[in-house]
Amino acid sequence: MEITESVKIIERMMNESKKTLHNYSAYFIIWGMVMAPAGIAEYLLIDYEYRWIVWPIASIIGGVLSAIVGNKQSKKQQASSAMDRVIGYTWGAFGFCLILAIAYAVSIQKPPHTLVLMLAGGATFISGGISKFKPFIYGGLALELAAIACAFFIPGEFHSLIFAVGILLGYIIPGFILRNIENE
Amino acid sequence: MNKLNKLLHQELRLAIVSYLAGVEWVNFNKLLDITEATKGNLSVQIKKLEAAGYLEIKKSFKDNYPLTQCKITDDGRNALDEYVKDLKQLLNMK
């Protein structure tokens, strides 16, 4: 074998291995399409005492749909990269911190939007950085800006609306951009 | 040319190790797909790489079907690094 041929094989295979990515878009789209309407619903139900009910409902729907997609994908999965593992750990840590943040917010009787946006922004930003996918980097920044707005500038009654906008910019739009790329 | 690792200086084995350097593990069927090799030839070559300590092969069952997964070892990764280094030297000499 010629040495130039060796170089070509190494390049081709390295490029092939970079294509070995999970289809992450489905999770962003599912959670975005569940959480953004939940935020809008909470805003519309502002006079209703039990408006918080939208969050457990949305979480259950999102969790069930994600589990179905995850199960299907794991059956089809043929390879795994270090990036898959890092992204998996990032979102695992996010899930744990999310539960903790919501429990803490409930215990101090404060709405959890700011903390949730902050955590989601961090995990989205890291996912974008690791996968070099700019829409997630910008999406993560949009979520952090929404968190800052909720924390310091926007009155509490509008937090669920800001939350919905953050999720639209951070999850839904980048999720659909990624899905188009995955389908190419 | 003498300096190059003879085990890696073969089209299919080099392709397998180069691909595995970029992933944590891969199924046998995926390797078949990307290398476009025959089942028999791919089996023989991954066994040679395993014997040299460059690959780990894990056999199991998934949904009642046999599943073979391959993973590069540290020795395999080092051997590929050395091979690329030697290749660069040879290319500079040309």
Side-chain angles (χ1 to χ4, degrees):
Chain A
M1 181 167 64
E2 288 292 319
I3 52 174
T4 49
E5 202 183 331
S6 296
V7 175
K8 278 182 195 161
I9 291 171
I10 294 168
E11 275 177 357
R12 187 166 67 83
M13 286 298 142
M14 294 253 173
N15 285 334
E16 272 302 325
S17 68
K18 281 182 196 156
K19 290 185 206 161
T20 309
L21 282 181
H22 241 94
N23 291 342
Y24 293 113
S25 65
Y27 301 104
F28 283 90
I29 292 169
I30 287 170
W31 284 104
M33 297 300 262
V34 166
M35 288 298 169
I40 293 167
E42 191 192 31
Y43 176 73
L44 295 175
L45 296 169
I46 199 145
D47 295 326
Y48 179 59
E49 190 186 352
Y50 300 108
R51 61 185 182 278
W52 53 266
I53 198 77
V54 298
W55 298 112
I57 293 171
S59 302
I60 291 167
I61 296 171
V64 169
L65 292 175
S66 296
I68 293 168
V69 169
N71 190 37
K72 270 189 188 170
Q73 284 192 354
S74 75
K75 279 184 182 164
K76 277 196 219 160
Q77 193 180 10
Q78 295 214 308
S80 174
S81 66
M83 190 165 84
D84 288 329
R85 188 160 45 91
V86 175
I87 290 178
Y89 273 108
T90 301
W91 286 97
F94 163 77
F96 176 77
C97 293
L98 182 71
I99 294 166
L100 204 64
I102 292 171
Y104 175 64
V106 169
S107 76
I108 59 168
Q109 295 183 322
K110 292 272 181 197
H113 306 91
T114 308
L115 290 173
V116 175
L117 285 167
M118 203 170 72
L119 291 170
T124 306
F125 187 80
I126 293 170
S127 299
I130 294 165
S131 59
K132 294 178 184 165
F133 185 62
K134 283 188 179 160
F136 280 156
I137 295 177
Y138 297 136
L141 291 174
L143 287 160
E144 294 301 338
L145 285 176
I148 293 168
C150 284
F152 304 111
F153 302 109
I154 307 284
E157 64 261 38
F158 297 110
H159 282 190
S160 43
L161 267 190
I162 297 297
F163 180 87
V165 172
I167 293 293
L168 172 73
L169 298 174
Y171 278 20
I172 299 176
I173 294 173
F176 277 108
I177 294 172
L178 181 60
R179 194 172 77 164
N180 283 340
I181 293 168
E182 286 167 354
N183 290 340
E184 270 171 15
Chain B
M1 195 74 100
N2 285 340
K3 211 185 164 193
L4 288 172
N5 179 328
K6 283 187 181 143
L7 191 68
L8 289 184
H9 195 62
Q10 192 270 352
E11 201 175 321
L12 183 52
R13 289 195 291 266
L14 183 61
I16 296 166
V17 173
S18 303
Y19 180 77
L20 280 168
V23 297
E24 295 232 309
W25 56 263
V26 65
N27 283 357
F28 184 81
N29 285 341
K30 175 76 179 178
L31 270 184
L32 265 182
D33 186 32
I34 53 163
T35 59
E36 295 172 353
T38 61
K39 261 187 187 177
N41 193 15
L42 185 62
S43 272
V44 169
Q45 303 310 334
I46 63 170
K47 274 178 192 156
K48 281 186 184 173
L49 291 166
E50 186 191 27
Y54 291 177
L55 297 191
E56 265 178 44
I57 300 173
K58 198 174 105 186
K59 293 195 175 195
S60 60
F61 283 90
K62 193 175 180 183
D63 298 329
N64 293 326
Y65 289 97
L67 178 70
T68 304
Q69 291 180 321
C70 305
K71 189 181 168 184
I72 195 168
T73 61
D74 288 345
D75 284 351
R77 213 174 279 279
N78 293 337
L80 182 66
D81 285 348
E82 280 298 313
Y83 181 84
V84 170
K85 224 183 273 174
D86 294 341
L87 214 55
K88 277 182 188 165
Q89 274 182 4
L90 285 169
L91 283 168
N92 287 337
M93 278 194 294
K94 269 196 162 184

